């Protein structure tokens, strides 16, 4: 497990560029004797089947493959060899755990009732501009079909959960994620004569402030919502009134109702401000993910297995978080359960959060990950095959 994880970590690849990663995974799955190892699904995705000796249902498990454009700053033997690219979100662990599960279960086919579908997915972090990718493309290209999976499981490392522990939520567990762009258009003029133009910098400044009142004054205070403007670009010279400003940001919620209301209120806010100045606006939404929603019945049926493996005291339920996951796309098709694998260890100084240059994991979590996921999949098949 450690060897797999460190190999992936040393050779990270960005979204939709996971060529080596895909090849290594496919080779390992074929070496284990898995059935129907398909490559090229959703660009570089891999889908394989493990057919048990006994009849039964089909269950899926998914791991993501891509890394992030982050420079690694920690001095470790398995430091990234691809400058400026790092597995800073733990996908190297996710792949290693899923491969470990495949290896473990491939040696016990005669005890398996049904089929396990292993899905290795590229571009979870989002495809490059102008490209398709991720869970949505995998689904469209049949990752859940032939045979059709009845349920899907996945996990994500979490450094603020201690190694040996598993975190979970029933119902909403991770936020929806909407990427948006706002273009405000006015009229260019010399900076000395602003009354003859329409200053989009001023309009944009007021819009940024007003958009924050959606969260503070217009959405139910009990509904989590984050609305962040991450970049502003406009103007081309110090003494020229800018005729166009572009703002980009993200919106996160744990409720589809709050999400729809916030989008409607963004339009209302922008329409009112721009019309007051004689400007216009355009609001575009790009890549988005729905709320990661764990099926309550599936969670309730699975928790006894997790507790049996790690112990009651090591099963924790932190508040739902505002990070997002395209695992939610699978959950819109079939019931799914996405839980968190603890990899933090303050005694070893392993505390840095995901998406940071200092991120690392306690590799003892690999063993926990395989044991939990392997038993979760077997117990699901047993429950469904033996009513």
């Amino acid at each position: 497990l450690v060897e797999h994880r460190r190999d992936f970590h040393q050779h990270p690849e960005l979204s939709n560029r996971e060529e080596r990663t895909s090849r290594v995974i496919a080779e390992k799955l074929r070496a284990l004797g898995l059935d129907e190892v398909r490559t090229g699904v959703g660009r570089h995705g891999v889908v394989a089947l493990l057919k048990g000796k006994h009849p039964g249902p089909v269950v899926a498990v998914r791991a993501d493959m891509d890394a992030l454009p982050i420079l690694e700053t920690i001095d470790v033997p398995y430091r990234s060899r691809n400058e400026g690219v790092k597995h800073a979100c733990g996908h190297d662990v996710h792949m290693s755990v899923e491969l470990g599960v495949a290896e473990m279960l491939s040696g016990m086919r005669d005890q398996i009732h049904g089929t396990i579908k292993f899905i290795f997915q590229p571009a979870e972090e989002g495809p490059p501009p102008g490209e398709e990718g991720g869970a949505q493309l995998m689904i469209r290209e049949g990752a859940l079909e032939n045979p059709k999976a009845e349920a899907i499981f996945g996990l994500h490392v979490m450094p603020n959960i201690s190694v040996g522990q598993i975190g979970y939520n029933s119902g909403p567990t991770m936020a929806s994620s909407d990427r948006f762009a706002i273009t405000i258009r006015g009229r260019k003029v010399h900076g000395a004569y602003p009354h003859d133009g329409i200053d989009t910098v001023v309009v944009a400044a007021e819009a940024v402030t007003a958009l924050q009142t959606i969260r503070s004054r217009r959405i139910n205070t009990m509904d989590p919502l984050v609305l962040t403007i991450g970049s502003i670009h406009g103007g081309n010279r110090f003494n020229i009134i800018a005729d166009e400003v572009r703002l980009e940001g993200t919106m996160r919620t744990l409720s589809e109702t709050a999400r729809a209301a916030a989008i409607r209120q963004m339009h209302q806010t922008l329409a009112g401000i721009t019309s007051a100045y004689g400007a216009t606006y355009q609001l575009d939404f790009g890549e988005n993910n729905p709320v990661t929603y764990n099926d309550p019945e599936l969670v309730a049926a699975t928790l006894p297995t997790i507790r049996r493996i790690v112990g009651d005291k090591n099963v924790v339920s932190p508040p739902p978080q505002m990070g997002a996951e395209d695992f939610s796309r699978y959950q819109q098709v079939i019931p799914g359960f996405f839980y968190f694998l603890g990899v933090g260890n303050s005694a070893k100084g392993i505390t840095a959060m995901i998406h940071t240059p200092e991120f690392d994991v306690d590799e003892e979590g690999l063993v926990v990950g395989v044991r939990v996921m392997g038993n979760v999949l077997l117990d699901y098949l047993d429950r469904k095959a033996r009513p």
Side-chain angles (χ1 to χ4, degrees):
L1 287 171
V2 169
E3 181 182 344
H4 285 168
R5 183 257 165 168
R6 294 188 175 191
D7 178 68
F8 289 134
H9 195 89
Q10 287 178 304
H11 301 92
E13 296 174 301
L14 295 174
S15 302
N16 275 356
R17 304 293 183 268
E18 307 92 340
E19 296 180 16
R20 178 191 184 275
T21 306
S22 176
R23 184 176 67 253
V24 169
I25 288 170
E27 289 172 355
K28 292 182 183 297
L29 294 174
R30 290 189 179 107
L32 292 172
L34 264 67
D35 310 281
E36 303 175 27
V37 178
R38 296 171 54 204
T39 58
V41 185
R43 291 184 179 261
H44 300 299
V46 182
V47 179
L49 300 178
L50 177 59
K51 297 178 180 178
K53 180 179 178 180
H54 308 284
V58 180
V59 65
V61 56
R62 172 272 211 171
D64 35 14
M65 305 161 62
D66 50 334
L68 288 160
I70 290 178
L71 178 68
E72 182 141 53
T73 59
I74 56 176
D75 186 15
V76 290
Y78 44 89
R79 183 184 176 93
S80 170
R81 296 178 184 176
N82 295 342
E83 189 74 10
V85 184
K86 170 175 175 157
H87 269 298
C89 200
H91 297 185
D92 51 344
V93 173
H94 305 170
M95 292 183 287
S96 301
V97 166
E98 189 159 322
L99 283 174
V101 172
E103 182 171 355
M104 180 174 71
L105 299 187
S106 65
M108 48 189 297
R109 290 173 184 260
D110 59 344
Q111 300 177 54
I112 296 177
H113 295 77
T115 298
I116 299 167
K117 175 171 283 192
F118 292 89
I119 298 173
F120 291 85
Q121 177 208 306
E124 187 279 326
E125 299 292 352
E131 295 183 13
E132 291 184 289
Q136 196 166 10
L137 184 59
M138 292 284 286
I139 293 167
R140 194 161 70 242
E141 296 192 0
L144 295 177
E145 306 297 330
N146 300 317
K148 168 102 178 195
E150 297 182 7
I152 187 167
F153 292 90
L155 60 78
H156 201 296
V157 299
M158 195 51 62
N160 57 11
I161 297 177
S162 297
V163 67
Q165 294 185 324
I166 297 292
Y168 81 95
N169 301 100
S170 182
T173 186
M174 298 184 78
S176 62
S177 171
D178 286 286
R179 179 175 178 175
F180 62 83
I182 302 167
T183 304
I184 297 175
R185 296 184 176 93
R187 187 165 62 247
K188 191 186 295 289
V189 73
H190 192 295
Y193 311 101
H195 55 283
D196 289 328
I198 298 174
D199 191 342
T200 55
V201 170
V202 172
V203 180
E206 188 161 332
V208 170
T209 301
L211 287 170
Q212 300 308 311
T213 65
I214 294 174
R215 175 68 192 95
S216 65
R217 288 295 178 269
R218 303 189 67 190
I219 294 291
N220 188 322
T221 56
M222 301 303 292
D223 280 336
L225 172 71
V226 174
L227 201 162
T228 295
I229 305 294
S231 70
I232 304 178
H233 300 275
N236 63 340
R237 202 170 191 276
F238 74 97
N239 64 345
I240 300 176
I241 296 292
D243 62 346
E244 183 174 299
V245 172
R246 180 178 173 87
L247 307 93
E248 295 183 342
T250 182
M251 183 178 68
R252 315 278 176 124
T253 76
L254 290 171
S255 159
E256 286 299 324
T257 301
R259 176 175 174 266
I263 291 174
R264 183 175 66 253
Q265 291 163 14
M266 287 178 71
H267 278 286
Q268 291 173 347
T269 300
L270 291 168
I273 290 173
T274 54
S275 65
Y277 286 92
T280 61
Y281 82 95
Q282 180 177 332
L283 174 59
D284 298 307
F285 283 87
E287 291 295 321
N288 66 83
N289 290 311
V291 174
T292 303
Y293 185 86
N294 288 337
D295 183 83
E297 290 186 11
L298 185 59
V299 172
T302 305
L303 282 178
T305 299
I306 298 176
R307 291 191 172 107
R308 187 181 78 243
I309 301 304
V310 300
D312 287 344
K313 64 179 176 34
N314 287 320
V315 179
V316 298
S317 186
Q321 55 183 280
M322 302 309 287
E325 245 290 345
D326 75 354
F327 186 85
S328 57
R329 292 288 181 182
Y330 302 106
Q331 293 174 314
Q332 290 193 315
V333 181
I334 55 177
F337 184 11
F338 193 73
Y339 57 86
F340 301 102
L341 174 68
V343 293
N345 191 326
S346 56
K348 295 181 180 179
I350 302 174
T351 58
M353 273 299 287
I354 56 176
H355 289 225
T356 65
E358 301 80 21
F359 173 76
D360 201 3
V361 304
D362 187 335
E363 292 175 326
E364 293 297 323
L366 292 163
V367 178
V368 180
V370 172
R371 291 182 63 214
V372 171
M373 185 62 81
N375 280 278
V376 162
L377 296 171
L378 288 176
D379 284 3
Y380 176 88
L381 293 177
D382 284 348
R383 288 196 310 271
K384 296 295 182 178
R386 300 170 181 171

